[in-house]
């Protein structure tokens, strides 16, 4: 894989922070070209345990928030995604082989859901 096209990510977001996964690298291939363009670390059992533990710990405080506050947080998330739409559309196209139009529709629907 060329370092010019390689995009690497630590792994996942757990507990509001980037979490460095410890699993074997997973190749990300552009289905339109067959070209490998990124590698991301897969998760192992400890990574899954960390994510599940974090979600379990967050469930109580999230549930205790007023519905209106949860809505505000999700609305903020939607605005954040919307602010990166032009960056996300080509990424989704490259990762999944969707047309630009289909990628934009999918992300827009995700924004609407948030």
């Amino acid at each position: 894989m060329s370092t010019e096209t390689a995009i690497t990510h630590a792994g996942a977001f757990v507990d509001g922070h980037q979490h460095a996964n410890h699993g074997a690298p997973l190749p990300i291939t552009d289905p339109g070209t067959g070209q490998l363009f990124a590698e991301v670390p897969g998760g192992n059992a400890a990574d899954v345990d960390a994510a599940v533990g974090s979600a379990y710990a967050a469930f109580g405080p999230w549930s205790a928030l007023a519905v209106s506050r949860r809505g505000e947080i999700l609305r903020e998330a939607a605005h954040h995604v919307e602010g990166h739409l032009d960056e996300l559309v080509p990424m989704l196209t490259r990762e999944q082989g969707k047309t630009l139009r289909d990628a934009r529709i999918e992300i827009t629907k995700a924004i609407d859901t948030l």
Side-chain angles (χ1 to χ4, degrees):
M1 175 170 44
S2 163
T3 56
E4 290 178 38
T5 59
I7 302 167
T8 57
H9 304 280
F13 286 95
V14 175
D15 213 16
H17 305 350
Q18 197 169 29
H19 172 84
N21 283 352
H22 299 93
L26 302 171
I28 309 296
T29 304
D30 182 333
T33 65
Q35 194 79 15
L36 178 69
F37 71 90
E39 229 175 44
V40 295
N44 63 17
D47 298 318
V48 173
D49 287 346
V52 170
S54 175
Y56 183 79
F59 181 75
W62 177 258
S63 298
L65 288 176
V67 172
S68 59
R69 179 63 186 132
R70 284 185 266 169
E72 290 170 3
I73 292 168
L74 293 174
R75 190 170 25 263
E76 289 172 25
H79 288 305
H80 184 74
V81 173
E82 192 171 36
H84 292 275
L85 188 62
D86 290 338
E87 175 186 351
L88 293 169
V89 167
M91 288 173 65
L92 186 57
T93 296
R94 188 172 194 192
E95 178 184 291
Q96 295 186 5
K98 294 179 180 290
T99 65
L100 291 171
R101 178 182 178 277
D102 286 346
R104 184 171 293 278
I105 289 169
E106 181 173 329
I107 295 171
T108 300
K109 285 183 180 180
I111 292 167
D112 292 344
T113 298
L114 287 172

